[in-house]
Amino acid sequence: MIRITSKDNTLIKHIAKLNKSARYRRECFEFTAEGLRLCLDALNSDADIESLIVSEKSYGKHTDDINKIAEVCEKSYIVPDSLFSRISQTKTPQGILCVIKTLDKPTLFDKMLIGGKYVALENIQDPSNLGTVLRTAEAVGVDGVILSDDCCDIYSPKVIRGSMGAVFRLPILTSESIESFISEHKELSFYASVVDKGAEKITDVEFEEPCAVIIGNEGNGIKQSTISVCDKKITIPMNGRAESLNASAAAAIIIWELIK
């Protein structure tokens, strides 16, 4: 392993910038994954791992797993624990981080599975919410996720951590907008999840395959123009006094009802 000791090292600066800037990640076609489990998920998902960076303490603790990852990397580095903390995005770093090439996610829907049940996300802005939704979708067995172009970056460190590796395994497509995606894919039935007492209760819905359920922005929900081109409006019945649910909580309920 190559030893790095300076905070002014080019790679250390590069990683710090990848962690902070979505634009920089897009320009470099790279992102970071931090933590032993996520790095092993990247390895087991055949992600293209560019570099491996580990702390001295981590290498002594996780030698075998780190060596497995190092075998597929172009370059591997070891740094003092204090230096690793400069590139870590967690309060208690595990001391292992990978720089990974942007995943080969499809741009055309016909590259996904034919038929099936999908989740479409419109303008989700909170990386933690997006990561949690992706984790739930992959765990429950959704066939794929469609994101509008104005959703937050799936390669944000918070999304990667929140997804618990789902971003490596789940078919994900980005569309210019969910409204345009609906217009281009009449073969699917589209269900708009809304807060509307006049909408059909999700517990009463029989989802017809192929189909997609749309979940909207945390504060504003689904755009009215998108709702207008959907086949049906559905809602989560709520008997309490809360007017709405957190986006990731609502998504978990919706995804469960979609797949069950």
PDB file of all heavy atoms in Angstrom, residues 69-91:
ATOM      1  N   ILE A  69     -10.487  -6.224  -1.005  1.00  0.00           N
ATOM      2  CA  ILE A  69     -10.841  -5.048  -1.797  1.00  0.00           C
ATOM      3  C   ILE A  69      -9.618  -4.527  -2.548  1.00  0.00           C
ATOM      4  O   ILE A  69      -9.707  -4.154  -3.727  1.00  0.00           O
ATOM      5  CB  ILE A  69     -11.434  -3.948  -0.890  1.00  0.00           C
ATOM      6  CG1 ILE A  69     -12.694  -4.454  -0.187  1.00  0.00           C
ATOM      7  CG2 ILE A  69     -11.766  -2.691  -1.701  1.00  0.00           C
ATOM      8  CD1 ILE A  69     -13.215  -3.543   0.912  1.00  0.00           C
ATOM      9  N   ALA A  70      -8.474  -4.519  -1.879  1.00  0.00           N
ATOM     10  CA  ALA A  70      -7.249  -4.006  -2.488  1.00  0.00           C
ATOM     11  C   ALA A  70      -6.866  -4.778  -3.752  1.00  0.00           C
ATOM     12  O   ALA A  70      -6.273  -4.213  -4.676  1.00  0.00           O
ATOM     13  CB  ALA A  70      -6.105  -4.057  -1.478  1.00  0.00           C
ATOM     14  N   GLU A  71      -7.228  -6.057  -3.803  1.00  0.00           N
ATOM     15  CA  GLU A  71      -6.882  -6.883  -4.967  1.00  0.00           C
ATOM     16  C   GLU A  71      -7.508  -6.380  -6.261  1.00  0.00           C
ATOM     17  O   GLU A  71      -6.970  -6.602  -7.341  1.00  0.00           O
ATOM     18  CB  GLU A  71      -7.323  -8.336  -4.718  1.00  0.00           C
ATOM     19  CG  GLU A  71      -6.458  -9.075  -3.708  1.00  0.00           C
ATOM     20  CD  GLU A  71      -6.958 -10.488  -3.469  1.00  0.00           C
ATOM     21  OE1 GLU A  71      -7.940 -10.891  -4.138  1.00  0.00           O
ATOM     22  OE2 GLU A  71      -6.381 -11.187  -2.623  1.00  0.00           O
ATOM     23  N   VAL A  72      -8.681  -5.711  -6.163  1.00  0.00           N
ATOM     24  CA  VAL A  72      -9.374  -5.272  -7.380  1.00  0.00           C
ATOM     25  C   VAL A  72      -9.157  -3.792  -7.663  1.00  0.00           C
ATOM     26  O   VAL A  72      -9.645  -3.282  -8.679  1.00  0.00           O
ATOM     27  CB  VAL A  72     -10.893  -5.569  -7.295  1.00  0.00           C
ATOM     28  CG1 VAL A  72     -11.138  -7.038  -7.023  1.00  0.00           C
ATOM     29  CG2 VAL A  72     -11.570  -4.698  -6.234  1.00  0.00           C
ATOM     30  N   CYS A  73      -8.488  -3.085  -6.766  1.00  0.00           N
ATOM     31  CA  CYS A  73      -8.277  -1.646  -6.927  1.00  0.00           C
ATOM     32  C   CYS A  73      -7.073  -1.358  -7.806  1.00  0.00           C
ATOM     33  O   CYS A  73      -6.110  -2.117  -7.840  1.00  0.00           O
ATOM     34  CB  CYS A  73      -8.052  -0.978  -5.566  1.00  0.00           C
ATOM     35  SG  CYS A  73      -9.468  -1.031  -4.498  1.00  0.00           S
ATOM     36  N   GLU A  74      -7.126  -0.211  -8.480  1.00  0.00           N
ATOM     37  CA  GLU A  74      -5.956   0.236  -9.221  1.00  0.00           C
ATOM     38  C   GLU A  74      -4.844   0.630  -8.257  1.00  0.00           C
ATOM     39  O   GLU A  74      -3.673   0.322  -8.480  1.00  0.00           O
ATOM     40  CB  GLU A  74      -6.327   1.412 -10.128  1.00  0.00           C
ATOM     41  CG  GLU A  74      -7.263   1.018 -11.279  1.00  0.00           C
ATOM     42  CD  GLU A  74      -7.465   2.147 -12.257  1.00  0.00           C
ATOM     43  OE1 GLU A  74      -6.640   3.091 -12.264  1.00  0.00           O
ATOM     44  OE2 GLU A  74      -8.436   2.094 -13.023  1.00  0.00           O
ATOM     45  N   LYS A  75      -5.239   1.324  -7.165  1.00  0.00           N
ATOM     46  CA  LYS A  75      -4.252   1.749  -6.178  1.00  0.00           C
ATOM     47  C   LYS A  75      -4.855   1.691  -4.783  1.00  0.00           C
ATOM     48  O   LYS A  75      -6.049   1.937  -4.603  1.00  0.00           O
ATOM     49  CB  LYS A  75      -3.757   3.172  -6.474  1.00  0.00           C
ATOM     50  CG  LYS A  75      -2.948   3.280  -7.760  1.00  0.00           C
ATOM     51  CD  LYS A  75      -2.453   4.706  -7.971  1.00  0.00           C
ATOM     52  CE  LYS A  75      -1.639   4.803  -9.255  1.00  0.00           C
ATOM     53  NZ  LYS A  75      -1.159   6.196  -9.489  1.00  0.00           N
ATOM     54  N   SER A  76      -4.020   1.380  -3.798  1.00  0.00           N
ATOM     55  CA  SER A  76      -4.457   1.319  -2.405  1.00  0.00           C
ATOM     56  C   SER A  76      -3.525   2.179  -1.565  1.00  0.00           C
ATOM     57  O   SER A  76      -2.315   2.215  -1.795  1.00  0.00           O
ATOM     58  CB  SER A  76      -4.435  -0.122  -1.890  1.00  0.00           C
ATOM     59  OG  SER A  76      -5.287  -0.940  -2.660  1.00  0.00           O
ATOM     60  N   TYR A  77      -4.105   2.854  -0.582  1.00  0.00           N
ATOM     61  CA  TYR A  77      -3.346   3.798   0.227  1.00  0.00           C
ATOM     62  C   TYR A  77      -3.627   3.562   1.709  1.00  0.00           C
ATOM     63  O   TYR A  77      -4.737   3.161   2.093  1.00  0.00           O
ATOM     64  CB  TYR A  77      -3.734   5.237  -0.116  1.00  0.00           C
ATOM     65  CG  TYR A  77      -3.559   5.589  -1.572  1.00  0.00           C
ATOM     66  CD1 TYR A  77      -4.568   5.312  -2.497  1.00  0.00           C
ATOM     67  CD2 TYR A  77      -2.393   6.192  -2.032  1.00  0.00           C
ATOM     68  CE1 TYR A  77      -4.424   5.630  -3.843  1.00  0.00           C
ATOM     69  CE2 TYR A  77      -2.231   6.518  -3.382  1.00  0.00           C
ATOM     70  CZ  TYR A  77      -3.250   6.229  -4.275  1.00  0.00           C
ATOM     71  OH  TYR A  77      -3.093   6.546  -5.608  1.00  0.00           O
ATOM     72  N   ILE A  78      -2.638   3.854   2.534  1.00  0.00           N
ATOM     73  CA  ILE A  78      -2.806   3.800   3.982  1.00  0.00           C
ATOM     74  C   ILE A  78      -2.418   5.167   4.548  1.00  0.00           C
ATOM     75  O   ILE A  78      -1.428   5.777   4.112  1.00  0.00           O
ATOM     76  CB  ILE A  78      -1.980   2.658   4.613  1.00  0.00           C
ATOM     77  CG1 ILE A  78      -2.336   2.492   6.086  1.00  0.00           C
ATOM     78  CG2 ILE A  78      -0.484   2.861   4.403  1.00  0.00           C
ATOM     79  CD1 ILE A  78      -1.855   1.179   6.683  1.00  0.00           C
ATOM     80  N   VAL A  79      -3.239   5.649   5.485  1.00  0.00           N
ATOM     81  CA  VAL A  79      -3.023   6.991   6.034  1.00  0.00           C
ATOM     82  C   VAL A  79      -3.118   6.949   7.554  1.00  0.00           C
ATOM     83  O   VAL A  79      -3.756   6.058   8.121  1.00  0.00           O
ATOM     84  CB  VAL A  79      -4.064   8.001   5.484  1.00  0.00           C
ATOM     85  CG1 VAL A  79      -4.015   8.048   3.965  1.00  0.00           C
ATOM     86  CG2 VAL A  79      -5.462   7.636   5.955  1.00  0.00           C
ATOM     87  N   PRO A  80      -2.515   7.922   8.239  1.00  0.00           N
ATOM     88  CA  PRO A  80      -2.698   8.002   9.690  1.00  0.00           C
ATOM     89  C   PRO A  80      -4.172   8.229  10.030  1.00  0.00           C
ATOM     90  O   PRO A  80      -4.928   8.808   9.236  1.00  0.00           O
ATOM     91  CB  PRO A  80      -1.857   9.221  10.073  1.00  0.00           C
ATOM     92  CG  PRO A  80      -0.892   9.414   8.956  1.00  0.00           C
ATOM     93  CD  PRO A  80      -1.599   8.948   7.722  1.00  0.00           C
ATOM     94  N   ASP A  81      -4.578   7.771  11.202  1.00  0.00           N
ATOM     95  CA  ASP A  81      -5.975   7.928  11.610  1.00  0.00           C
ATOM     96  C   ASP A  81      -6.403   9.392  11.582  1.00  0.00           C
ATOM     97  O   ASP A  81      -7.533   9.707  11.186  1.00  0.00           O
ATOM     98  CB  ASP A  81      -6.178   7.369  13.023  1.00  0.00           C
ATOM     99  CG  ASP A  81      -5.964   5.873  13.090  1.00  0.00           C
ATOM    100  OD1 ASP A  81      -5.726   5.254  12.031  1.00  0.00           O
ATOM    101  OD2 ASP A  81      -6.028   5.313  14.196  1.00  0.00           O
ATOM    102  N   SER A  82      -5.534  10.291  11.997  1.00  0.00           N
ATOM    103  CA  SER A  82      -5.863  11.713  12.031  1.00  0.00           C
ATOM    104  C   SER A  82      -6.121  12.273  10.640  1.00  0.00           C
ATOM    105  O   SER A  82      -6.973  13.154  10.451  1.00  0.00           O
ATOM    106  CB  SER A  82      -4.735  12.501  12.711  1.00  0.00           C
ATOM    107  OG  SER A  82      -3.507  12.305  12.027  1.00  0.00           O
ATOM    108  N   LEU A  83      -5.414  11.771   9.658  1.00  0.00           N
ATOM    109  CA  LEU A  83      -5.611  12.232   8.286  1.00  0.00           C
ATOM    110  C   LEU A  83      -6.899  11.650   7.704  1.00  0.00           C
ATOM    111  O   LEU A  83      -7.631  12.335   6.969  1.00  0.00           O
ATOM    112  CB  LEU A  83      -4.413  11.840   7.414  1.00  0.00           C
ATOM    113  CG  LEU A  83      -4.420  12.347   5.971  1.00  0.00           C
ATOM    114  CD1 LEU A  83      -4.607  13.861   5.910  1.00  0.00           C
ATOM    115  CD2 LEU A  83      -3.132  11.934   5.245  1.00  0.00           C
ATOM    116  N   PHE A  84      -7.197  10.400   8.040  1.00  0.00           N
ATOM    117  CA  PHE A  84      -8.436   9.805   7.544  1.00  0.00           C
ATOM    118  C   PHE A  84      -9.649  10.606   8.030  1.00  0.00           C
ATOM    119  O   PHE A  84     -10.641  10.749   7.303  1.00  0.00           O
ATOM    120  CB  PHE A  84      -8.576   8.341   7.975  1.00  0.00           C
ATOM    121  CG  PHE A  84      -9.712   7.636   7.302  1.00  0.00           C
ATOM    122  CD1 PHE A  84      -9.506   6.949   6.105  1.00  0.00           C
ATOM    123  CD2 PHE A  84     -10.995   7.685   7.820  1.00  0.00           C
ATOM    124  CE1 PHE A  84     -10.564   6.323   5.458  1.00  0.00           C
ATOM    125  CE2 PHE A  84     -12.056   7.062   7.180  1.00  0.00           C
ATOM    126  CZ  PHE A  84     -11.840   6.381   5.992  1.00  0.00           C
ATOM    127  N   SER A  85      -9.575  11.121   9.246  1.00  0.00           N
ATOM    128  CA  SER A  85     -10.706  11.875   9.794  1.00  0.00           C
ATOM    129  C   SER A  85     -11.017  13.117   8.965  1.00  0.00           C
ATOM    130  O   SER A  85     -12.139  13.618   8.977  1.00  0.00           O
ATOM    131  CB  SER A  85     -10.431  12.272  11.244  1.00  0.00           C
ATOM    132  OG  SER A  85      -9.354  13.189  11.324  1.00  0.00           O
ATOM    133  N   ARG A  86     -10.039  13.608   8.207  1.00  0.00           N
ATOM    134  CA  ARG A  86     -10.248  14.778   7.354  1.00  0.00           C
ATOM    135  C   ARG A  86     -11.110  14.461   6.135  1.00  0.00           C
ATOM    136  O   ARG A  86     -11.726  15.367   5.559  1.00  0.00           O
ATOM    137  CB  ARG A  86      -8.902  15.354   6.890  1.00  0.00           C
ATOM    138  CG  ARG A  86      -8.109  16.064   7.982  1.00  0.00           C
ATOM    139  CD  ARG A  86      -6.801  16.603   7.444  1.00  0.00           C
ATOM    140  NE  ARG A  86      -6.151  17.482   8.406  1.00  0.00           N
ATOM    141  CZ  ARG A  86      -6.342  18.796   8.474  1.00  0.00           C
ATOM    142  NH1 ARG A  86      -7.155  19.390   7.610  1.00  0.00           N
ATOM    143  NH2 ARG A  86      -5.709  19.516   9.379  1.00  0.00           N
ATOM    144  N   ILE A  87     -11.148  13.218   5.722  1.00  0.00           N
ATOM    145  CA  ILE A  87     -11.942  12.853   4.545  1.00  0.00           C
ATOM    146  C   ILE A  87     -13.184  12.045   4.927  1.00  0.00           C
ATOM    147  O   ILE A  87     -13.986  11.680   4.069  1.00  0.00           O
ATOM    148  CB  ILE A  87     -11.109  12.056   3.520  1.00  0.00           C
ATOM    149  CG1 ILE A  87     -10.514  10.789   4.157  1.00  0.00           C
ATOM    150  CG2 ILE A  87     -10.022  12.939   2.921  1.00  0.00           C
ATOM    151  CD1 ILE A  87      -9.815   9.874   3.169  1.00  0.00           C
ATOM    152  N   SER A  88     -13.342  11.770   6.204  1.00  0.00           N
ATOM    153  CA  SER A  88     -14.489  10.988   6.656  1.00  0.00           C
ATOM    154  C   SER A  88     -15.735  11.856   6.748  1.00  0.00           C
ATOM    155  O   SER A  88     -15.673  13.033   7.093  1.00  0.00           O
ATOM    156  CB  SER A  88     -14.196  10.361   8.019  1.00  0.00           C
ATOM    157  OG  SER A  88     -15.354   9.729   8.528  1.00  0.00           O
ATOM    158  N   GLN A  89     -16.877  11.245   6.466  1.00  0.00           N
ATOM    159  CA  GLN A  89     -18.165  11.923   6.576  1.00  0.00           C
ATOM    160  C   GLN A  89     -18.958  11.428   7.778  1.00  0.00           C
ATOM    161  O   GLN A  89     -20.141  11.740   7.923  1.00  0.00           O
ATOM    162  CB  GLN A  89     -18.983  11.684   5.298  1.00  0.00           C
ATOM    163  CG  GLN A  89     -18.389  12.309   4.049  1.00  0.00           C
ATOM    164  CD  GLN A  89     -18.557  13.808   4.024  1.00  0.00           C
ATOM    165  OE1 GLN A  89     -19.666  14.322   3.885  1.00  0.00           O
ATOM    166  NE2 GLN A  89     -17.453  14.529   4.165  1.00  0.00           N
ATOM    167  N   THR A  90     -18.331  10.649   8.647  1.00  0.00           N
ATOM    168  CA  THR A  90     -19.020  10.104   9.813  1.00  0.00           C
ATOM    169  C   THR A  90     -18.348  10.568  11.103  1.00  0.00           C
ATOM    170  O   THR A  90     -17.173  10.921  11.115  1.00  0.00           O
ATOM    171  CB  THR A  90     -19.026   8.565   9.775  1.00  0.00           C
ATOM    172  OG1 THR A  90     -17.676   8.080   9.857  1.00  0.00           O
ATOM    173  CG2 THR A  90     -19.659   8.055   8.485  1.00  0.00           C
ATOM    174  N   LYS A  91     -19.114  10.536  12.196  1.00  0.00           N
ATOM    175  CA  LYS A  91     -18.593  10.980  13.484  1.00  0.00           C
ATOM    176  C   LYS A  91     -17.577   9.988  14.050  1.00  0.00           C
ATOM    177  O   LYS A  91     -16.631  10.380  14.726  1.00  0.00           O
ATOM    178  CB  LYS A  91     -19.751  11.172  14.468  1.00  0.00           C
ATOM    179  CG  LYS A  91     -20.670  12.336  14.119  1.00  0.00           C
ATOM    180  CD  LYS A  91     -21.761  12.493  15.160  1.00  0.00           C
ATOM    181  CE  LYS A  91     -22.678  13.665  14.817  1.00  0.00           C
ATOM    182  NZ  LYS A  91     -23.782  13.825  15.817  1.00  0.00           N
TER     183      LYS A  91
END
